[in-house]
């Protein structure tokens, strides 16, 4: 076993761009390689779309923040949103047409490998096959250098009871999966993105079990106090945690202002969702947050 | 023959040699009963011989009452402890509750989910040259989780280098000469990084450290981030896990003593199921909690970070606030101080 000298290691860890300069600034360049980044948030906040976008962006050359690589998309929430992926891929191609002009037959969807996962045991069974697939892809033009698991929570939330025995078995599987992903990340120098669902927090404030994880005292989304699912042991398994939140903002008519009707209700012209991205914990990032929106071409940060 | 040097009667020397005892070390490790039986002498005589043998056969047997080679008096230990150097944490409050910093010769465990900044801060601070009040050593960083980020090390190293040169300039009223200045690049070079991907690798590396450090004597700090991660994956045989961890803890303690270096381990926080309720505790179980000399737990209180000394043979159990800034660990500036400061400016 030989030590690595930090002088030889690249000064900046290679990172996968998030596809938007504003978000990249909050993430110090994007998602780092060699470690696991978790994106958590309630349903409909944009986790899956974020992952689809990353699966395409990784095909860009390094000069544009990508890795000239293909991606492996393991999905456990059905069905796989192939229509949305196609839509994002269209705008992706339109924006980066000149990059791929040398490959006229190039189709970005060819470089996203999709594989379903049904249970945690299914993932454990598939591990050796996935590893040999990544190994064999190294010879191709675009080797796999991004693994997305969307979502890790869906694998675990149905099958396990809330008994000490099951919880113990569950957390030992967490560590097994995480250890395997991390060893892949080192061996093949790839980025790992996992998404996670949230659970509602009931009871006294101060996070799950009264322990505060990360920079924020409590996380709020849609007016509820939530926490990323799978508990404390999974929080120990990821290197960085990013939280996406959503709040409804009522749109009020600009010209007339709020009109109070006789029954006391305020007239509104619909609601707009304000989405924010928060860095909960990360070895190299301080806490920061930024507003983002979901456009046709994917997720974009909003400069304030 | 070594026994010839012992200040005992010729008859006893003869008995020793005929019984096969020729070296002093072979005698000093014996019990008086055994020796008296072997030589057919009284136990008091045997004890006398052992005493002389332990003193290395020197004639001088005045005050010292050491019966075993390598034993020290408590007075000597106290002196050694007082002169032992400590690695500063860069936060005055933390140094205060730690009695000056992380102690060399000891194994310290830190409990937290992610504590990269504090670990890197130690790896950088151990290199502060002796003339600036540091140790001027090197650090070994064993990464089991993949959370190590070179860009963060560089940030902290740059801040540390700037602070060292300004403190030199203010104390000497001149700019420091270039040869004693530490560049951030030098600081990076003095951190020896190992990435470990399984528990077998981790055990192998800990076993190899003894050889590695004896070739690199400058190493004054060994960090394992984290000791826990690989040992929480599918270990069905928990008795085996306890034995492996116990063996590793002993080796690390031996290293700390032998090479006078600090060992800092990161442990994860978990919940413990007792009598129907879940309680917070550090991972790896009860037997592991005996393994480390010191245990520090980092936690949040309102919007401030705190460090709490959970276990230590010499320090009081107290807590102190600290802050994580872009340049590393610093003193916490509490809210009221911040307000005062903004008012003053």
């Amino acid at each position: 076993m030989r030590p690595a000298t930090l002088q030889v290691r690249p000064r900046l860890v290679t990172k996968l761009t998030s596809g938007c300069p504003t978000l990249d600034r909050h993430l110090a360049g994007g998602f780092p390689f060699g470690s696991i980044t978790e994106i958590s948030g309630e349903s409909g906040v944009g986790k899956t779309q974020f992952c689809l976008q990353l699966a395409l962006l990784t095909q860009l050359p390094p000069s544009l923040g990508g890795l000239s690589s293909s991606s492996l998309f393991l999905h456990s929430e059905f069905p796989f949103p192939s229509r949305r992926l196609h839509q994002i891929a269209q705008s992706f191609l339109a924006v980066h047409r000149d990059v791929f002009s040398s490959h006229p037959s190039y189709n970005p969807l060819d470089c996203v490998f999709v594989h379903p996962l049904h249970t945690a045991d299914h993932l454990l069974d598939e591990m050796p096959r996935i590893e040999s697939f990544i190994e064999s892809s190294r010879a191709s033009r675009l080797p796999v250098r991004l693994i997305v698991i969307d979502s890790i929570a869906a694998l675990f939330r149905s099958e396990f009871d809330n008994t000490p025995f099951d919880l113990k078995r569950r957390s030992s599987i967490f560590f097994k999966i995480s250890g395997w992903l991390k060893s892949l990340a080192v061996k093949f120098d790839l980025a790992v993105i996992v998404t996670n669902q949230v659970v509602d927090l009931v009871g006294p404030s101060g996070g799950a079990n009264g322990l505060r994880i990360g920079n924020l005292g409590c996380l709020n989304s849609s007016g509820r106090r939530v926490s990323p699912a799978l508990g404390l042991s999974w929080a120990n398994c990821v290197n960085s945690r990013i939280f996406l939140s959503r709040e409804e903002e009522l749109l009020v008519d600009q010209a007339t202002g709020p009109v109070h009707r006789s029954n006391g209700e305020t007239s509104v012209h619909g609601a707009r969702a304000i989405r924010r991205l928060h860095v909960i914990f990360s070895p190299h990032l301080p806490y920061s947050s930024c507003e983002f929106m979901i456009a046709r071409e994917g997720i974009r940060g909003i400069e304030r | 023959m070594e026994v010839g040097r012992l200040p005992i009667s010729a008859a006893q020397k003869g008995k020793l040699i005929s019984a096969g005892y020729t070296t002093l070390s072979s005698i000093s490790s014996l019990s008086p009963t055994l020796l008296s039986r072997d030589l057919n002498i009284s136990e008091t005589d045997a004890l006398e011989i052992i005493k002389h043998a332990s003193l290395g056969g020197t004639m001088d047997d005045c005050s010292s009452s050491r019966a075993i080679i390598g034993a020290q008096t408590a007075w000597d230990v106290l002196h050694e402890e007082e002169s032992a150097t400590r690695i500063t944490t860069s936060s005055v409050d933390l140094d205060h509750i730690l009695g000056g910093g992380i102690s060399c010769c000891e194994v310290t465990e830190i409990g937290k989910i992610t504590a990269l900044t504090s670990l890197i801060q130690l790896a950088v601070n151990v290199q502060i040259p002796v003339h600036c009040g540091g140790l001027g050593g090197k650090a070994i960083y064993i990464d089991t989780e993949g959370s190590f980020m070179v860009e963060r090390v560089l940030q902290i190293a740059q801040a540390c280098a700037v602070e060292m040169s300004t403190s030199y300039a203010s104390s000497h009223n001149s700019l420091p000469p270039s040869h004693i200045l530490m560049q951030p690049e030098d600081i990076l070079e003095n951190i020896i990084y190992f990435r470990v991907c399984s528990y077998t690798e981790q055990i192998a590396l800990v076993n190899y450290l003894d050889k590695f450090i004896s070739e690199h004597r400058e190493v004054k700090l060994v960090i394992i981030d984290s000791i826990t991660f690989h040992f929480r994956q599918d270990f069905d045989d928990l008795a085996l896990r306890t034995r492996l961890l116990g063996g590793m803890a002993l080796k690390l303690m031996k290293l700390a003593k032998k090479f006078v270096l600090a060992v800092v381990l990161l442990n994860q926080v978990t919940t413990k199921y007792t009598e129907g309720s879940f309680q917070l505790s550090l991972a790896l179980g009860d037997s592991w909690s005996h393994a480390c000399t010191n245990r520090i737990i980092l936690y949040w209180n309102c919007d401030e970070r705190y460090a709490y000394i959970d276990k230590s043979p010499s320090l009081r159990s107290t807590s102190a606030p600290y802050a994580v800034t872009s340049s590393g660990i610093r003193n916490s500036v509490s809210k009221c101080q911040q307000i005062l400061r903004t008012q003053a400016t």
Side-chain angles (χ1 to χ4, degrees), chain A residues 211-215 232 236 281, chain B residues 109-118 145 225-226 228 265-270 282-283 296-300 305-306 322 324:
Chain A
L211 174 78
R212 172 167 167 179
I213 306 171
N215 294 310
L232 188 56
N236 276 315
F281 61 77
Chain B
E109 181 183 26
I110 298 180
K112 166 114 195 282
I113 293 184
T114 52
L116 186 76
T117 307
S118 36
E145 298 197 15
D225 170 21
S226 67
T228 330
L265 311 173
L266 190 76
N267 196 355
Q268 297 176 344
V269 181
T270 183
L282 292 192
I296 303 168
I297 294 175
L298 308 180
Y299 64 99
W300 283 92
R305 294 171 198 255
Y306 275 81
Y322 70 99
V324 172

Side-chain angles (χ1 to χ4, degrees), chain A residues 4 7 15 212 236 239 283, chain B residues 145 147 151 185 192-193 269 302:
Chain A
Q7 294 278 301
K15 284 175 186 159
R212 172 167 167 179
N236 276 315
N239 297 113
Chain B
E145 298 197 15
S147 287
E151 56 185 271
E185 286 75 20
I192 302 157
Y193 174 84
V269 181
C302 295

Side-chain angles (χ1 to χ4, degrees), chain A residues 1-7 9-13 15 28 32-36 162-164 167-168 171-173 175-176 178-180 182-183 186-187 208-217 232-233 235-240 281-285, chain B residues 112-114 116-117 144-155 184-189 191-197 201-202 204-205 208 212 228-230 232-235 238 268-271 273 278 280 298-305:
Chain A
M1 194 173 284
R2 301 196 145 274
T5 52
L6 301 179
Q7 294 278 301
R9 278 166 71 91
R11 187 56 68 67
L12 284 168
V13 184
K15 284 175 186 159
F33 273 56
S35 69
I36 302 180
N162 197 12
T163 59
L167 288 175
K168 191 175 156 289
S171 66
S172 102
I173 297 179
F175 279 94
K176 202 169 176 180
S178 154
W180 172 72
K182 283 175 181 173
S183 70
V186 172
K187 192 172 166 195
N209 305 308
L211 174 78
R212 172 167 167 179
I213 306 171
N215 294 310
L216 279 180
L232 188 56
S233 42
N236 276 315
C237 287
V238 296
N239 297 113
S240 310
F281 61 77
S282 177
H284 62 300
L285 299 175
Chain B
K112 166 114 195 282
I113 293 184
T114 52
L116 186 76
T117 307
T144 68
E145 298 197 15
S147 287
F148 188 82
M149 290 281 170
V150 186
E151 56 185 271
R152 188 74 179 120
V153 185
L154 193 64
Q155 272 178 359
E185 286 75 20
D186 305 335
I187 296 181
L188 251 60
E189 206 170 343
I191 299 176
I192 302 157
Y193 174 84
F194 290 94
R195 178 77 172 89
V196 166
C197 288
E201 274 182 40
Q202 188 172 333
L205 181 57
Y208 168 62
F212 185 84
T228 330
F229 182 70
H230 294 304
R232 292 184 79 181
Q233 304 171 30
D234 62 334
F235 249 95
L238 287 180
Q268 297 176 344
V269 181
T270 183
T271 43
Y273 185 76
F278 290 95
L280 283 179
L298 308 180
Y299 64 99
W300 283 92
N301 186 4
C302 295
D303 271 334
E304 252 181 319
R305 294 171 198 255

Side-chain angles (χ1 to χ4, degrees), chain A residues 12-13 15 22-31 284-286, chain B residues 151:
Chain A
L12 284 168
V13 184
K15 284 175 186 159
T22 314
L23 292 179
D24 274 355
R25 202 157 40 78
H26 285 274
L27 298 172
F31 296 92
H284 62 300
L285 299 175
Chain B
E151 56 185 271

Side-chain angles (χ1 to χ4, degrees), chain A:
Chain A
M1 194 173 284
R2 301 196 145 274
T5 52
L6 301 179
Q7 294 278 301
V8 181
R9 278 166 71 91
R11 187 56 68 67
L12 284 168
V13 184
T14 348
K15 284 175 186 159
L16 170 63
T17 178
S18 62
C20 158
T22 314
L23 292 179
D24 274 355
R25 202 157 40 78
H26 285 274
L27 298 172
F31 296 92
F33 273 56
S35 69
I36 302 180
T37 308
E38 180 198 85
I39 301 176
S40 57
E42 63 170 315
S43 65
V45 78
K47 305 184 294 286
T48 302
Q49 302 201 32
F50 208 166
C51 291
L52 294 176
Q53 180 176 340
L54 294 174
L56 296 170
L57 285 163
T58 181
Q59 301 170 23
L60 290 174
S63 56
L64 290 171
L67 282 131
S68 294
S69 76
S70 37
S71 53
L72 181 63
F73 201 106
L74 306 169
H75 67 107
S76 59
E77 291 180 6
F78 297 91
F80 178 74
S82 41
R83 269 180 58 197
R84 181 65 179 136
L85 177 63
H86 185 69
Q87 201 178 27
I88 301 176
Q90 290 304 316
S91 17
F92 172 76
L93 253 188
V95 174
H96 300 290
R97 194 175 299 278
D98 45 333
V99 178
F100 301 110
S101 54
S102 52
H103 303 279
S105 64
Y106 172 76
N107 181 356
L109 298 186
D110 288 345
C111 301
V112 181
F113 300 99
V114 180
H115 187 78
L117 294 177
H118 299 281
T119 59
D121 288 325
H122 185 208
L123 175 58
L124 294 180
D125 290 343
E126 291 290 321
M127 277 180 179
R129 282 187 53 207
I130 292 171
E131 192 161 344
S132 54
F133 170 73
I134 296 173
E135 177 79 57
S136 63
S137 82
R138 286 171 109 178
S140 65
R141 190 177 69 84
L142 296 177
V144 173
R145 289 190 65 196
L146 172 70
I147 299 179
V148 176
I149 299 185
D150 179 36
S151 71
I152 193 80
L155 297 176
F156 288 98
R157 287 187 81 173
S158 56
E159 243 187 281
F160 294 85
D161 275 338
N162 197 12
T163 59
F165 176 77
D166 259 25
L167 288 175
K168 191 175 156 289
R169 192 166 81 90
R170 194 180 82 154
S171 66
S172 102
I173 297 179
F174 288 163
F175 279 94
K176 202 169 176 180
I177 291 175
S178 154
W180 172 72
L181 286 172
K182 283 175 181 173
S183 70
L184 282 189
V186 172
K187 192 172 166 195
F188 300 109
D189 190 26
L190 41 81
V192 181
I193 314 274
V194 299
T195 64
N196 194 356
Q197 303 169 353
V198 294
V199 289
D200 276 304
L201 274 183
V202 284
S205 62
N209 305 308
L211 174 78
R212 172 167 167 179
I213 306 171
N215 294 310
L216 279 180
C218 63
L219 308 173
N220 285 298
S221 192
S222 291
R224 290 146 42 200
R225 215 150 52 78
V226 298
S227 138
L230 305 184
L232 188 56
S233 42
W234 178 253
N236 276 315
C237 287
V238 296
N239 297 113
S240 310
R241 170 170 274 176
I242 285 164
F243 178 69
L244 307 181
S245 72
R246 187 174 70 168
E247 297 295 338
E248 296 289 332
E249 185 193 54
L250 298 180
L251 286 182
V252 182
D253 196 314
Q254 291 291 317
T256 56
V259 179
H260 295 282
R261 289 189 190 148
S262 53
N263 59 5
E265 278 181 14
T266 312
S267 121
V268 287
H269 291 253
R272 186 176 77 99
I274 297 185
R275 295 177 157 88
R276 292 193 79 84
L277 175 146
H278 307 265
V279 178
I280 300 300
F281 61 77
S282 177
H284 62 300
L285 299 175
Y287 168 74
S288 69
S289 82
C290 133
E291 198 179 318
F292 72 92
M293 56 173 233
I294 302 178
R296 186 184 165 79
E297 69 273 14
I299 284 177
R300 293 289 171 266
I302 300 174
E303 203 73 58
R304 275 289 150 104

